[in-house]
Amino acid sequence: MPVQQADNNDNPLYVAHQKIYPRVASGRFARLRVLSILTLLGIYYVTPLLQWNDRQAILFDLPARKFYLFGLTLWPQDFIYLAALLILAGLSLFFFTALLGRVWCGYACPQTVWTEAYLWMERKIEGNRSKRMKLDKAPTSASKIRIKLLKHTIWITFSLWTGFTFVAYFTPINELANNLFTGNLGPWEMFWILFYSLATYGNAGFMREQVCMYMCPYARFQSAMFDSDTLIVAYHPERGDPRGSRRRGTDPKEVGLGDCIDCNLCVQVCPTGIDIRDGLQYECIACSACIDACDEIMDKMKYPRGLIDYTTENSARGEPQHILRPRILVYATILLVLCGLLLTHISQRIALDLDVIRDRNTLYRETRDGLIENVYTLKILNMDSSSHQYSLWADGIDGLKLVSDQPELIVEAGAVYETVVRLQADEFNMEERSVPVRFHLQAIEANHLTIVEEARFVGPGKK
Amino acid sequence: MEALTPDKIPRAQQVISILWPSFICAIVASGIFFSAFNPKELIPFNLDIDISPLAAYSIGFLLFWILAIVSSMGTLYFTISNCRVLRKQGN
Ligand code: SF4
Ligand code: SF4
């Protein structure tokens, strides 16, 4: 794959190359892209507003150390799920990249989504590509300042809203809005709103394609996931070359030219400023803007569409395509198995946790009736969404008795309950000095909420 | 074109190449760390610090970030200075 080296030797600042003024493309892929971008933006801004049983539907509640996901409440103990989700996300990226190339970049990456949103605002305020270029070249004037000021004000407002929404995933949005309007915003809430806003403003307003080119690890190692059957955006040189301008309706063969009229529109619409006709380049985010632009030209020229289109290396070479190839099957199998495991695990997850801590101060003591007694501190964590009463018993030694001062064990939803219990056993029933015992905890009226926890019971040892 | 060696990478890109990977590492590190430890339980009992959970998590994250930044800076510093040394030696 020919990969071009960006020439940025003599540039002191982060503007490694000239500012890119993408022309807006319209067509079927552009419509698909707008649809995808609007959906994703909608999900981002609306999610914190959703409510579920008098609380925010999706919330990382940092003070309570809980993560609410609609009906599900995850605790730090459930960290494994988050890790599994991340692995799943990574694997899906592999899978979809092998199959569809960089669709993620062109249609779903936050960098693309927000850049497109900021470009849209820029277009609405500064005008189309040539107007924007003229404005930037024009000497400073009152109207230029006015336009730029307007653009940045709107950008910054949108960034602040984005930052606010971000923090609302961690602090309930009602509380956050209330604090904001009453001037009671905590310093760290303020810090994160500003931090996230600044990142959005910088990335979507200024850095744009440079994020993809210099900061995105995915863009660098994507070639490892590509093969000759991966979907790519490509120009067909055998059809387009030799390029050259001509009058509308000319038959290219008569003038000895290919189908490309060298109008440069495919370059002008490209958000990363490359010429797809030079071949596949790592800068190409497969946004398909050049396909739409060229199709429009082909329509005008009455040539067939698809001089630039989605293709695969194999089909461009006229070789058979393989959708179901080993790589795809392997990724798909791993993905399905992992998804299945995760779902079964979550559905069988027991919303109850028990911690048993043996009293370390005394190994054991003898009761008045001559029994050996050990003391334990139990920590019961009710991770369910309703409160429960529990029954507690222990086994492991013949005639083991559990003594508690607490007649009833009731734990509120999402609460931790600590209680001290004593186990008593006859030393003649103990095989060894230290014997494993099991604590059983079961919710009354919700028998599936059962948990067993092991501990050790220590005695004087056989005499 | 002369080969692009690390010491010729523009300053701003050097800064980004330090800040950005360490930012990602800090997210992962704070995620793992704070799943295992509750900041409330980390404050020794004899210290009477009243700190909000968000502040604790934020400070933890920033500390991880700084740590990773220092490490990235070290890597970049050695890469660049090694380039200069090798060039002086005529390699
Ligand atoms: S848009 Fe199509 S016709 Fe125009 S220069 Fe690009 S490839 Fe050629
Ligand atoms: S070359 Fe085409 S598909 Fe690739 S980034 Fe540019 S416009 Fe998008």
Side-chain angles (χ1 to χ4, degrees), chain A residues 27-328:
Chain A
R28 46 201 173 127
F29 294 115
R31 279 195 294 277
L32 196 65
R33 223 154 95 86
V34 168
L35 188 72
S36 157
I37 287 168
L38 285 180
T39 313
L40 291 170
L41 283 176
I43 292 175
Y44 176 77
Y45 292 102
V46 170
T47 302
L49 296 170
L50 300 178
Q51 296 288 314
W52 185 273
N53 297 342
D54 350 304
R55 58 160 170 77
Q56 198 163 309
I58 294 183
L59 179 70
F60 280 93
D61 189 343
L62 290 182
R65 294 171 65 74
K66 289 179 209 169
F67 173 42
Y68 297 114
L69 191 70
F70 297 101
L72 195 69
T73 307
L74 294 178
W75 295 69
Q77 290 89 323
D78 300 318
F79 179 74
I80 185 81
Y81 292 127
L82 204 66
L85 270 182
L86 285 181
I87 294 175
L88 271 183
L91 267 173
S92 327
L93 198 64
F94 274 56
F95 175 74
F96 286 111
T97 306
L99 196 64
L100 299 173
R102 291 179 72 174
V103 270
W104 161 262
C105 301
Y107 293 83
C109 177
Q111 180 60 30
T112 298
V113 167
W114 268 276
T115 298
E116 286 296 320
Y118 277 62
L119 262 172
W120 180 81
M121 291 182 252
E122 190 170 68
R123 252 192 333 263
K124 287 286 163 218
I125 298 162
E126 294 187 353
N128 63 23
R129 178 173 193 263
S130 48
K131 278 201 188 134
R132 296 204 300 274
M133 293 170 95
K134 223 162 86 197
L135 182 75
D136 279 359
K137 276 204 208 94
T140 315
S141 68
S143 91
K144 180 171 173 175
I145 293 177
R146 215 198 60 233
I147 294 177
K148 291 280 174 194
L149 213 60
L150 179 65
K151 178 178 89 175
H152 288 285
T153 315
I154 290 184
W155 273 5
I156 289 171
T157 315
F158 194 72
S159 306
L160 286 171
W161 182 32
T162 311
F164 174 82
T165 307
F166 173 72
V167 175
Y169 280 88
F170 300 90
T171 308
I173 194 162
N174 300 332
E175 193 186 313
L176 194 64
N178 207 14
N179 288 350
L180 181 70
F181 292 119
T182 54
N184 287 325
L185 214 55
W188 287 102
E189 283 158 351
M190 183 100 83
F191 170 81
W192 287 115
I193 292 180
L194 291 179
F195 184 92
Y196 203 83
S197 308
L198 191 72
T200 312
Y201 178 66
N203 283 345
F206 300 93
M207 308 224 323
R208 294 184 178 172
E209 78 288 344
Q210 300 180 61
V211 173
C212 310
M213 284 151 70
Y214 305 115
M215 288 168 68
C216 178
Y218 171 65
R220 300 281 170 94
F221 65 72
Q222 36 136 347
S223 57
M225 295 176 251
F226 272 46
D227 58 28
S228 323
D229 289 302
T230 300
L231 202 66
I232 51 172
V233 174
Y235 163 80
H236 295 280
E238 71 294 342
R239 185 185 145 193
D241 289 358
R243 309 161 192 172
S245 54
R246 79 242 17 211
R247 282 231 296 280
R248 192 178 290 196
T250 316
D251 181 2
K253 275 181 222 96
E254 271 171 29
V255 283
L257 289 172
D259 279 358
C260 172
I261 65 166
D262 217 2
C263 64
N264 248 355
L265 272 183
C266 50
V267 180
Q268 294 181 12
V269 294
C270 180
T272 67
I274 56 169
D275 188 341
I276 190 70
R277 295 172 301 170
D278 296 343
L280 183 61
Q281 295 143 66
Y282 88 88
E283 289 96 333
C284 171
I285 57 168
C287 70
S288 60
C290 53
I291 304 184
D292 280 334
C294 190
D295 276 352
E296 217 176 317
I297 297 298
M298 292 297 112
D299 288 354
K300 275 195 196 132
M301 299 300 292
K302 303 222 159 53
Y303 298 163
R305 284 182 167 194
L307 177 55
I308 302 177
D309 70 354
Y310 274 119
T311 182
T312 67
E313 225 177 281
N314 270 346
S315 81
R317 269 195 255 118
E319 281 165 30
Q321 287 185 56
H322 320 272
I323 293 179
L324 294 178
R325 44 200 196 273
R327 181 195 285 257
I328 295 289

Side-chain angles (χ1 to χ4, degrees), chain A residues 5-9 11-14 16 62-63 65 76-77 79 170-171 188-189 191-192 195 207 214-217, chain B residues 1 4 8 10-13 16 20 23 31-32 34-40 53-55 57-59 61-62 65:
Chain A
Q5 173 90 59
D7 181 13
N8 42 31
N9 266 347
N11 233 311
L13 250 178
Y14 200 54
L62 290 182
R65 294 171 65 74
Q77 290 89 323
F79 179 74
F170 300 90
T171 308
W188 287 102
E189 283 158 351
F191 170 81
W192 287 115
F195 184 92
M207 308 224 323
Y214 305 115
M215 288 168 68
C216 178
Chain B
M1 190 175 87
L4 200 63
K8 293 211 190 111
R11 173 51 53 91
Q13 274 185 50
I16 293 284
W20 178 232
F23 181 76
I32 295 174
F34 285 122
S35 316
F37 304 104
N38 184 348
K40 245 195 258 158
L54 183 61
Y57 290 113
S58 306
I59 292 169
F61 170 78
L62 292 178
W65 196 9

Side-chain angles (χ1 to χ4, degrees), chain A residues 380-398:
Chain A
I380 302 171
L381 170 56
N382 175 7
M383 299 190 272
D384 206 22
S385 44
S386 51
S387 76
H388 288 291
Q389 184 178 353
Y390 298 93
S391 56
L392 177 71
W393 70 97
D395 59 18
I397 304 172
D398 280 344

